[in-house]
Amino acid sequence: MRALVKHPGEVGFRLEEVLTPEPGPDEVLIQVHTTGICGTDLHIYQWDEWAQATIPVPMTVGHEFSGYIAGVGSNVSGFIEGELVSAEGHVVCGHCRNCLAGRRHLCQQPESIGVSIPGAFADYLLVPKGNVWRHIEGIDPEIAALFDPFGNAVHTALEFPVLGEDVLITGVGPIGLLATAVVNHAGARNVVVTDVNAFRLDLALRMGASRAVDVRSEDIRQVQKDLGMMEGFDVALEMSGDPQALQDILDNTIHGANVAILGIPSEPFPIDWTIVIFNMLNLKGIYGREMFDTWYKMNVLVQSGLDISPVITHRFDAEEYEDAFTALQSSESAKVLLRWSD
Ligand code: ZN
């Protein structure tokens, strides 16, 4: 089968012929239909410091995917061959305190498909049976391939109640765009997004933002006034990893605001803790998806009419992966897909 393999000491991937894997007793073999390219994949592609310290090479990468059940191990039953599925990319240990308590998203030492174990940029991949997400018949395979980043967005966006609330989203990369659609669908009053990328700000308006603010030229306080807001945003979602964005949140939220933080900073940075303390802000870090509450919510959101397809800006055949990574690095892209089969 074909696989995009990362080799040490070089930028990029190699599209190679490798052996199709055989499912172990508790594993499921999935024929990949569509994969999404994540920022994580770009770090691995570019072979930066983080990637060099993290990725066991050579290894097949990729973790956002949808596909069809193509085989099961001897301990696996209940799946239907040809059934459309996606899968949770965090493979939990099963025996730490949180895993035993059923809080698998808080596992002490999860493996990660396409990061620490072989991934989905291939014609087939193996997934532990407990990671497979089923019951997505009727959902477009391209949308199902987005369930990993969509899950990050849903997990963050629904961490706090947003019905009737004024929500500030800092950073509209693909996950920020998806979160914009979710909070709008979930009944937020105003959804104000910030970024420095004109293409993505425009896309955010199409995905339900009330206002898209270019922080290089516009002032968030003025936007609050324009919208008739009195005291600040009730909820903020930090999705950029940018220190200034977190400061913008501290400066523009009400006392007691709920702040969910998903964006990963490239390095540690100081913040004004006096604002957090005096304003009694509630800061919550978010990682991954809740297994499988977030997945259930994704199904329901899509089935109740939430259209997340505008986030898809590019589609390529797997063979054109170089073009796909070029598109991903352009300023006029959001989610870039690779197609592996029909
Ligand atoms: Zn665990």
Side-chain angles (χ1 to χ4, degrees):
M1 68 167 191
R2 299 171 303 168
L4 274 185
V5 180
K6 182 68 202 182
H7 287 271
E10 59 188 46
V11 171
F13 299 126
R14 297 187 205 167
L15 186 63
E16 296 179 347
E17 280 296 322
V18 302
L19 286 176
T20 303
E22 293 278 336
D26 293 309
E27 290 178 324
V28 172
L29 181 68
I30 297 170
Q31 182 184 17
V32 178
H33 182 279
T34 297
T35 54
I37 305 179
C38 173
T40 301
D41 301 318
L42 186 57
H43 285 288
I44 302 171
Y45 183 93
Q46 293 168 332
W47 205 227
D48 63 13
E49 231 171 88
W50 169 84
Q52 291 178 35
T54 309
I55 311 300
V57 279
M59 189 187 74
T60 302
V61 294
H63 58 274
E64 301 178 358
F65 73 97
S66 64
Y68 301 102
I69 299 289
V72 298
S74 55
N75 287 344
V76 183
S77 61
F79 291 94
I80 303 160
E81 198 161 319
E83 174 185 0
L84 180 68
V85 295
S86 185
E88 168 58 48
H90 290 156
V91 178
V92 301
C93 76
H95 52 73
C96 70
R97 178 181 174 182
N98 281 313
C99 278
L100 290 173
R103 299 183 291 263
R104 289 187 283 173
H105 61 291
L106 294 175
C107 175
Q108 197 68 17
Q109 209 158 25
E111 298 280 1
S112 211
I113 291 173
V115 176
S116 63
I117 54 177
F121 289 163
D123 287 318
Y124 294 88
L125 89 155
L126 294 175
V127 171
K129 65 180 178 186
N131 278 63
V132 180
W133 182 244
R134 308 179 64 198
H135 314 301
I136 54 174
E137 302 84 9
I139 292 178
D140 187 309
E142 286 193 344
I143 298 298
L146 299 182
F147 267 31
D148 177 288
F150 183 36
N152 292 131
V154 169
H155 188 184
T156 315
L158 301 184
E159 181 65 26
F160 300 112
V162 294
L163 177 64
E165 302 285 44
D166 295 323
V167 181
L168 175 63
I169 300 177
T170 51
V172 279
I175 296 175
L177 289 167
L178 290 164
T180 300
V182 173
V183 294
N184 183 53
H185 189 80
R189 179 171 67 169
N190 291 304
V191 185
V192 175
V193 306
T194 65
D195 206 294
V196 293
N197 177 313
F199 176 84
R200 288 177 172 178
L201 285 167
D202 188 55
L203 201 45
L205 291 171
R206 286 175 51 204
M207 296 191 76
S210 330
R211 283 287 297 270
V213 179
D214 187 331
V215 287
R216 294 170 303 184
S217 56
E218 283 180 276
D219 178 36
I220 303 171
R221 283 184 191 281
Q222 183 56 46
V223 172
Q224 285 195 49
K225 281 189 193 139
D226 296 348
L227 292 168
M229 291 171 53
M230 306 297 284
E231 298 173 19
F233 292 91
D234 307 291
V235 175
L237 313 180
E238 203 313 278
M239 301 213 147
S240 71
D242 183 65
Q244 184 56 46
L246 191 57
Q247 188 62 47
D248 288 342
I249 287 173
L250 300 184
D251 292 340
N252 286 280
T253 43
I254 63 163
H255 291 199
N258 287 318
V259 181
I261 305 173
L262 179 94
I264 303 166
S266 55
E267 53 191 37
F269 64 88
I271 68 167
D272 186 348
W273 286 100
T274 60
I275 300 177
V276 176
I277 294 160
F278 289 134
N279 293 6
M280 289 184 282
L281 301 182
N282 184 24
L283 307 184
K284 175 83 190 276
I286 305 283
Y287 181 63
R289 300 141 297 278
E290 291 198 26
M291 294 164 229
F292 279 84
D293 239 34
T294 305
W295 291 81
Y296 181 83
K297 286 175 182 166
M298 285 191 275
N299 271 22
V300 171
L301 286 164
V302 171
Q303 286 160 352
S304 66
L306 178 64
D307 179 15
I308 59 171
S309 63
V311 78
I312 304 168
T313 55
H314 295 78
R315 296 168 170 86
F316 293 94
D317 189 80
E319 306 279 332
E320 305 168 308
Y321 71 96
E322 293 281 9
D323 296 333
F325 276 87
T326 302
L328 185 71
Q329 292 171 80
S330 95
S331 59
E332 300 205 345
S333 71
K335 187 47 74 178
V336 177
L337 301 182
L338 287 177
R339 173 70 74 90
W340 291 85
S341 67
D342 293 324

